[in-house]
Amino acid sequence: MTNITHLKASRFKEAEEKRYNSELRKLRDEHEREFGKEIKKNETQLSRLKDNYEKKINSLEIDLEQKLTNVRSKQSQSIMLENERLREELQNLKKAHDDQVNEVKESQETEIQNLVESHQNTIDNARQRYMKEKMKWEEA
């Protein structure tokens, strides 16, 4: 009887091991499938996040380039305006300088004329005195 019970126990043990191995394989396969599904799901989500991230980066780059272009345009416009203002200011300064030069020339010419007239008057006065003195000496 002990042989029979050992044989039964051995068969039962083998059947239990087979059942256990079968369940274990079944659970492993099921877990591998679930794990594979989760991996695919997470990889899909990760690739979607990467795509969204790339799109957002591209969008931000485009926005920044547009802003940079706008800033450059405004800067070049303000530079043009400043250059025009500088040109006008330079022209005004040149005109003012020319006016001052002309004023100085006129005042110097007037002064020279006054000096010439004064000199001429002095010469005329001296001539008249000379003539008076000469006439006195000739009469005497």
Side-chain angles (χ1 to χ4, degrees):
M1 262 210 162
T2 54
N3 255 348
I4 294 177
T5 53
H6 278 302
L7 192 58
K8 278 185 179 179
S10 152
R11 282 186 191 161
F12 181 73
K13 185 179 174 186
E14 284 178 19
E16 283 298 308
E17 282 180 5
K18 282 182 183 178
R19 189 181 60 77
Y20 172 76
N21 287 335
S22 167
E23 280 184 29
L24 189 62
R25 265 187 262 120
K26 197 179 195 181
L27 281 174
R28 275 189 195 148
D29 290 343
E30 188 178 316
H31 286 294
E32 281 181 23
R33 268 186 261 121
E34 283 181 33
F35 187 70
K37 284 180 186 177
E38 286 296 317
I39 287 175
K40 283 182 183 178
K41 178 179 153 187
N42 289 335
E43 284 177 350
T44 304
Q45 188 176 9
L46 186 62
S47 68
R48 189 171 30 92
L49 287 173
K50 282 182 182 178
D51 288 344
N52 287 342
Y53 180 72
E54 291 294 323
K55 286 177 186 176
K56 194 175 270 190
I57 285 176
N58 289 338
S59 168
L60 287 174
E61 283 178 352
I62 289 170
D63 287 345
L64 286 175
E65 284 182 25
Q66 286 177 344
K67 287 178 182 178
L68 181 63
T69 303
N70 290 341
V71 166
R72 283 181 178 162
S73 172
K74 286 179 183 178
Q75 185 67 21
S76 66
Q77 210 171 23
S78 65
I79 286 174
M80 284 177 26
L81 289 174
E82 283 299 312
N83 283 337
E84 184 63 30
R85 192 179 67 78
L86 179 65
R87 228 176 282 117
E88 288 175 7
E89 189 67 29
L90 189 59
Q91 286 176 348
N92 290 340
L93 284 173
K94 284 181 180 179
K95 285 179 185 176
H97 180 261
D98 288 342
D99 289 345
Q100 287 176 346
V101 166
N102 288 334
E103 251 181 65
V104 168
K105 281 183 182 178
E106 285 177 18
S107 70
Q108 285 178 348
E109 286 175 6
T110 305
E111 192 174 328
I112 288 172
Q113 257 182 340
N114 289 339
L115 285 172
V116 166
E117 286 176 15
S118 169
H119 183 65
Q120 192 65 38
N121 287 339
T122 306
I123 290 175
D124 287 342
N125 287 339
R127 185 176 289 138
Q128 285 175 0
R129 273 188 261 142
Y130 172 74
M131 292 295 228
K132 280 183 188 178
E133 283 296 317
K134 186 180 175 185
M135 288 171 89
K136 276 186 195 177
W137 284 99
E138 286 178 0
E139 286 180 12

